[in-house]
Amino acid sequence: MAVGDEPAHFRQMIDSIVDYEVIRLDEKGVISSWHPGAQLLTQYTAEEAIGKPVTLFYTEEDIVEGKADAELRAAAETGRYGTEGWRVRKDGSQFWASVVLTPIREPGGTVTGFVKVTADLTEQREQTLALRAGQQMLDGIADYEVIRLDSDGVVRSWNPGAVKLTGYVADEVVGRHVSMFYTEEDKRGAMAEREMASAARDGSLEVEGWRIRKDGTRFWANVVLSPILDDQGEVTGFVKVARDLTERREQEQLVQRQRDEILELSTPVIQVWDKVLILPLIGTLDSVRAARLTESLLERIAADQAEVVILDVSGVPAIDSGVARHLLKTVEAARLMGTASILSGIRPEIAQSMVHLGIELGGLRSCTSLKDALQLALRLVRAGADAADLAGRHA
Amino acid sequence: MPDVVPIMRMGPDLLVTLQGDLDDRAVEQIEQEVTDQVARTSARAVLVDVSGLAVLDSFVARVLARLVSMVRLLGADATLVGISPAVAITLVELGVSLRHVNTALNAEQGMGRLRRLREGDASRWAGHDDRG
Amino acid sequence: MVATVVVISGESDLLDVRSALRTAAERAGLRLTATTKLVTAGSELARNILRYATGGQGTVTIEECTTRAGRGVRAVFVDQGPGIADLDEVMRDGFSSGGSLGIGLPGSRRLVDEFTIDSMPGRGTTVVISQWDR
Ligand SMILES: Nc1ncnc2c1ncn2[C@@H]1O[C@H](COP(=O)(O)OP(=O)(O)OP(=O)(O)O)[C@@H](O)[C@H]1O
Ligand SMILES: [Mg+2]
């Protein structure tokens, strides 16, 4: 068959198509028509292509397998056959082709040829593969929840890590608001909205907090929220990556609790008499421990309404200026509450070094022995009690 | 701002109770009222109970210290009572020492101390008086 | 996070600053002492805006933050006032151009876990403070 057999308008239409190859094959698969789009795609001219078998574009393997014949047969039998696969250009390079074969029949039904429409989908294929790879990668990160939210916080995608983390499957979640994973308190506080606003403003946000699983149990989540921006810089959604850090948090808290217990153990506040407390300081005082000490001592003063507190430093190996400053602050705070302090157990070498350091004790009373300190404390309390009695009689 | 400054007479003494979060004007108004009343009634002592105060920043502390000075000038004594542990630590860190102000754990103890001061036995008390 | 913004334009706004700070601190689970320190520092800084910024005007932005280090509260004090020429000077105890004690700034720094001050003469002053749940 010759090119001239084509009806004119069909010819024109085909010539204008450059994104596709639309050619005709005869009933045996020999190329019988050609057009510019086909040349763009395959690099063959009409002279080179017409009269050649369609296997001209097939890979070696496909030729060996007899793919072309099988495709033509399938098209003849089913009336239409579509496939995708690698095809070869004149220079040997390959492209990913989408092919549709339609049989042309005579009025009697005999197949006299085929129309073959081929499109180059190499680029789309790569994109699809990249997408799929991305999705597979996400699916592969089974310990991470990697999901997408729209700008309102509605869940738009879900991954196996998210299933593992929350117990929900995609159908139960996609289309619902992300706050469904938050605690009641955080829901009331509009935490999800706050987090999205912050991520949108700062470019990303990392937070930790409790989240709720499908079964109602909670887990400590580390969440990184990143906004997805369109070309105008508008936020169109968020990518949320979350991990379960419950175990790590529990370990940290255990360590913290143990540390607190050790602190408590090493700093017992002892009530020796009604309204008299002793704080026997033992070991080295770092600033964290010293701050805790002050707090717990003052709270105890408030609870017992203690009028005198003895700070016994005989168990402290050295008092540097930092520790001394802290002791003085404690004394000052106690005084503001209305409680007198007595420092006891200052050893000569500590007294010396304190003087050398220029540490002023101000009006703070100091006794070398605990016994003296206790006696002084009792005197002070009795004097206070007498005064209170007097006050009662007066009023 | 409270309409009525919370001042209560207790015999020859006045008990002033500060409550909640006060704005600056309320604090100054209370200062004014208390000094007026001390002068008018020749009160012998004023106890200012701050246990119900939410914050005691440098402004409030300064007004309170000023109040104490004025009360003293009027011939009466003044004691601050009920500074909480958190407020005490905060004042110390802030650097407001209120060194010349007498303090007490509660109104009863404060009253006792004031009486004691009046009876001229001040020197034995808890470092309130020996820091000037 | 959605921040609470308090506009400072008059004395009564100090109450709003303090109460917003307290609410945020309680939400972040700060201990009472840490909360009291934060609220007091905030009161000092807001009062400085009232007293020294042009027209006594500025804003305080308060937000809770959760990070690896724990939960906390951050507050940003901004004014477009005259600014501060010598930051070292105003951060020293006892310096005051207003005949006051001069402890607001240095004291606030001691009360909070993080303190940053930034100022440009003629442009204004920004102070950022944070307190953590520790
Ligand atoms: N927002 C501000 N704008 C301009 N200057 C300021 C501002 N804040 C502080 N300053 C300057 O810094 C000085 C020190 O401030 P600081 O708060 O430490 O003390 P103060 O306000 O003078 O006294 P206090 O706070 O003890 O009542 C002020 O006197 C003022 O000159
Ligand atoms: Mg100030």
Side-chain angles (χ1 to χ4, degrees):
Chain A
M1 247 182 273
V3 176
D5 289 352
E6 306 283 346
H9 68 274
F10 183 57
R11 183 72 253 163
Q12 265 170 9
M13 201 180 78
I14 287 174
D15 282 351
S16 69
I17 297 170
V18 288
D19 294 339
Y20 300 101
E21 166 196 297
V22 186
I23 60 172
R24 288 184 62 163
L25 310 176
D26 70 12
E27 74 282 3
K28 288 195 221 60
V30 173
I31 299 164
S32 59
S33 85
W34 198 246
H35 76 114
Q39 184 169 347
L40 268 176
L41 194 63
T42 65
Q43 298 162 348
Y44 291 103
T45 60
E47 291 73 45
E48 289 166 333
I50 289 173
K52 300 269 168 48
V54 73
T55 51
L56 182 65
F57 316 118
Y58 282 65
T59 62
E60 295 289 346
E61 298 117 70
D62 286 352
I63 292 170
V64 170
E65 274 177 33
K67 261 240 172 88
D69 280 342
E71 285 171 7
L72 293 177
R73 227 177 303 122
E77 275 160 21
T78 57
R80 188 173 181 280
Y81 181 79
T83 183
E84 285 190 9
W86 291 112
R87 294 292 185 269
V88 187
R89 294 195 188 86
K90 185 178 164 186
D91 66 2
S93 65
Q94 298 196 348
F95 63 96
W96 185 258
S98 152
V99 181
V100 177
L101 282 167
T102 313
I104 302 162
R105 296 173 195 279
E106 279 178 343
T110 320
V111 173
T112 58
F114 300 89
V115 173
K116 178 170 171 273
V117 181
T118 307
D120 178 359
L121 293 187
T122 312
E123 243 171 65
Q124 285 94 316
R125 179 182 148 84
E126 268 159 18
Q127 275 170 11
T128 315
L129 283 181
L131 268 179
R132 203 178 301 155
Q135 190 59 44
Q136 272 168 2
M137 222 165 68
L138 296 187
D139 291 353
I141 315 172
D143 292 334
Y144 284 71
E145 171 191 308
V146 185
I147 65 171
R148 192 166 50 77
L149 311 177
D150 68 15
S151 54
D152 295 327
V154 175
V155 177
R156 291 300 175 204
S157 86
W158 198 242
N159 82 323
V163 177
K164 198 174 158 190
L165 205 60
T166 65
Y168 288 102
V169 297
D171 286 352
E172 298 167 317
V173 174
V174 173
R176 291 182 63 188
H177 195 265
V178 69
S179 61
M180 69 187 280
F181 310 113
Y182 286 66
T183 61
E184 284 307 316
E185 193 206 343
D186 283 347
K187 272 183 214 168
R188 274 196 303 276
M191 193 59 96
E193 287 78 6
R194 291 154 168 264
E195 287 174 359
M196 287 187 292
S198 171
R201 191 190 58 212
D202 297 341
S204 96
L205 171 75
E206 182 173 355
V207 290
E208 290 189 6
W210 290 113
R211 297 290 186 272
I212 309 294
R213 293 196 189 90
K214 186 180 175 184
D215 64 8
T217 58
R218 55 183 206 165
F219 62 99
W220 183 257
N222 166 285
V223 178
V224 177
L225 199 62
S226 316
I228 305 165
L229 304 177
D230 65 14
D231 295 342
Q232 277 74 49
E234 290 292 317
V235 174
T236 59
F238 297 91
V239 174
K240 178 179 165 231
V241 180
R243 277 185 301 164
D244 181 358
L245 292 184
T246 312
E247 234 168 76
R248 198 204 68 188
R249 180 183 155 87
E250 274 164 6
Q251 268 165 12
E252 278 172 4
Q253 285 194 328
L254 185 68
V255 170
Q256 185 59 45
R257 254 200 313 281
Q258 284 167 346
R259 203 182 294 144
D260 285 355
E261 273 163 21
I262 292 166
L263 281 179
E264 293 298 326
L265 276 180
S266 55
T267 57
V269 178
I270 304 163
Q271 186 179 23
V272 282
W273 199 264
D274 186 33
K275 299 185 157 96
V276 180
L277 299 176
I278 297 187
L279 176 70
L281 295 163
I282 300 157
T284 0
L285 290 171
D286 58 46
S287 65
V288 176
R289 202 180 144 217
R292 278 288 172 85
L293 266 176
T294 304
E295 256 183 78
S296 60
L297 176 67
L298 297 182
E299 266 150 30
R300 188 66 188 274
I301 287 175
D304 293 4
Q305 296 285 288
E307 298 193 359
V308 182
V309 55
I310 299 171
L311 302 163
D312 182 33
V313 296
S314 50
V316 181
I319 296 185
D320 60 18
S321 59
V323 172
R325 211 178 312 124
H326 204 89
L327 280 175
L328 290 178
K329 278 184 183 172
T330 307
V331 168
E332 229 181 309
R335 192 197 74 82
L336 282 170
M337 291 177 66
T339 298
S341 302
I342 302 170
L343 197 60
S344 100
I346 294 250
R347 281 169 286 138
E349 65 271 23
I350 288 186
Q352 261 182 16
S353 74
M354 282 175 76
V355 172
H356 275 299
L357 285 165
I359 296 162
E360 271 263 14
L361 285 185
L364 178 63
R365 293 168 182 79
S366 181
C367 299
T368 42
S369 77
L370 191 56
K371 193 171 133 244
D372 291 346
L374 276 168
Q375 268 168 5
L376 176 58
L378 292 182
R379 269 213 318 276
L380 289 173
V381 171
R382 270 206 210 99
D386 289 351
D389 275 356
L390 260 171
R393 263 178 261 134
H394 250 280
Chain B
M1 182 162 46
D3 296 331
V4 184
V5 177
I7 304 175
M8 202 167 76
R9 282 211 66 147
M10 293 173 69
D13 305 325
L14 298 178
L15 177 64
V16 184
T17 311
L18 304 186
Q19 206 89 43
D21 199 1
L22 300 173
D23 68 26
D24 295 0
R25 267 210 292 163
V27 175
E28 280 173 332
Q29 194 197 352
I30 290 168
E31 179 191 25
Q32 184 68 47
E33 278 285 322
V34 173
T35 23
D36 284 357
Q37 211 155 313
V38 169
R40 218 171 40 240
T41 64
S42 314
R44 289 200 297 185
V46 178
L47 284 171
V48 184
D49 185 349
V50 297
S51 60
L53 216 50
V55 253
L56 222 167
D57 64 3
S58 70
F59 175 80
V60 179
R62 194 165 51 233
V63 175
L64 289 175
R66 204 163 61 196
L67 173 64
V68 168
S69 302
M70 288 197 282
V71 168
R72 285 208 187 124
L73 280 174
L74 292 168
D77 288 311
T79 294
L80 280 189
V81 305
I83 293 181
S84 70
V87 168
I89 295 177
T90 301
L91 285 174
V92 171
E93 291 290 350
L94 188 59
V96 181
S97 50
L98 293 174
R99 283 232 161 90
H100 68 288
V101 176
N102 288 314
T103 54
L105 287 158
N106 50 57
E108 189 199 359
Q109 195 206 39
M111 206 80 85
R113 287 186 176 181
L114 285 172
R115 295 284 147 78
R116 217 169 158 67
L117 280 173
R118 268 206 295 277
E119 271 133 45
D121 199 14
S123 59
R124 286 164 79 182
W125 262 107
H128 300 86
D129 46 329
D130 50 10
R131 293 183 180 202
Chain C
M1 268 158 237
V2 169
T4 309
V5 179
V6 181
V7 176
I8 300 184
S9 61
E11 220 174 60
S12 60
D13 297 322
L14 289 189
L15 295 184
D16 292 342
V17 172
R18 296 199 286 247
S19 104
L21 279 169
R22 186 174 297 278
T23 307
E26 275 159 13
R27 275 193 58 97
L30 296 190
R31 298 155 69 94
L32 179 62
T33 307
T35 301
T36 308
K37 286 178 172 179
L38 174 73
V39 173
T40 307
S43 184
E44 296 295 333
L45 298 170
R47 197 189 303 287
N48 278 354
I49 292 181
L50 269 181
R51 199 178 296 164
Y52 302 113
T54 315
Q57 300 202 321
T59 58
V60 186
T61 311
I62 298 159
E63 58 186 16
E64 292 153 55
C65 16
T66 315
T67 67
R68 257 180 229 292
R71 280 188 153 195
V73 175
R74 179 180 303 132
V76 185
F77 298 75
V78 181
D79 68 63
Q80 261 93 54
I84 298 168
D86 186 346
L87 284 178
D88 287 341
E89 185 177 60
V90 298
M91 289 311 296
R92 262 202 302 276
D93 273 312
F95 174 85
S96 174
S97 67
S100 191
L101 294 176
I103 54 169
L105 289 174
S108 300
R109 174 154 69 180
R110 287 188 291 266
L111 288 174
V112 294
D113 293 326
E114 283 165 31
F115 181 102
T116 328
I117 183 163
D118 188 20
S119 186
M120 276 238 273
R123 291 275 186 79
T125 304
T126 303
V127 181
V128 184
I129 58 175
S130 336
Q131 195 81 312
W132 300 102
D133 157 33
R134 273 193 233 117

